[in-house]
Amino acid sequence: MVNTGDFIKRLEEILRYYDLSASSFADKIKVQRSSISHLLSGRNKPSLEFVMKVVKAIPEVDLYWLLEGKGSFPASKKTTTKVPEVKPLAPALENIEKNIPKAKGKKSIDKIVIFYSDGSFTCYEG
């Protein structure tokens, strides 16, 4: 669960770092100006869509730093999250499909994503 008060402090840090007003920041990340105002005042909590817009519009903002304060801002190349390699699905499917009850119609598994407790994941695609 994201601590809204801490999230707001990190959002304010971004505004100070780039010397942006709330309205210019809203324009930069393509959200309504009132959204920023409501977040900064504590009226609203940040949505996932809002968080992703911030991270997409400002590459120096690390997702984990923004959400949980882990890491640093601006993010250095050393703190960026590595996207894991996508592995072939076929070998994993052979064992998994044997244990899955047959669905009506012709269905097959397209993708399997395994999430680990450290926040990393592995993706298998067919």
Side-chain angles (χ1 to χ4, degrees):
M1 182 65 66
V2 174
N3 181 317
T4 306
D6 292 340
F7 179 88
I8 291 169
K9 289 177 186 173
R10 289 188 288 275
L11 199 57
E12 289 171 337
E13 187 174 338
I14 295 168
L15 295 174
R16 281 191 304 275
Y17 182 83
Y18 291 103
D19 194 28
L20 295 171
S21 66
S23 60
S24 61
F25 181 67
D27 293 342
K28 181 175 181 68
I29 66 170
K30 298 180 177 140
V31 298
Q32 292 183 0
R33 293 175 179 187
S34 60
S35 297
I36 303 296
S37 173
H38 293 165
L39 277 169
L40 293 174
S41 70
R43 177 180 173 201
N44 291 354
K45 293 182 179 183
S47 67
L48 176 59
E49 180 182 10
F50 176 84
V51 171
M52 296 312 294
K53 284 184 177 188
V54 172
V55 172
K56 184 177 179 182
I58 307 173
E60 296 85 9
V61 175
D62 180 70
L63 176 64
Y64 295 108
W65 174 81
L66 183 59
L67 291 175
E68 298 182 9
K70 295 179 181 176
S72 62
F73 173 76
S76 67
K77 290 183 181 179
K78 293 178 184 175
T79 61
T80 56
T81 305
K82 181 182 175 189
V83 177
E85 175 186 342
V86 176
K87 299 177 181 177
L89 182 60
L93 271 181
E94 291 174 9
N95 293 327
I96 293 171
E97 285 184 330
K98 291 176 188 174
N99 299 317
I100 297 176
K102 297 294 178 193
K104 293 180 181 179
K106 185 132 180 140
K107 293 185 179 182
S108 64
I109 298 174
D110 236 11
K111 182 189 290 187
I112 297 174
V113 181
I114 300 172
F115 295 93
Y116 300 99
S117 59
D118 67 354
S120 65
F121 63 92
T122 302
C123 183
Y124 298 91
E125 291 189 17

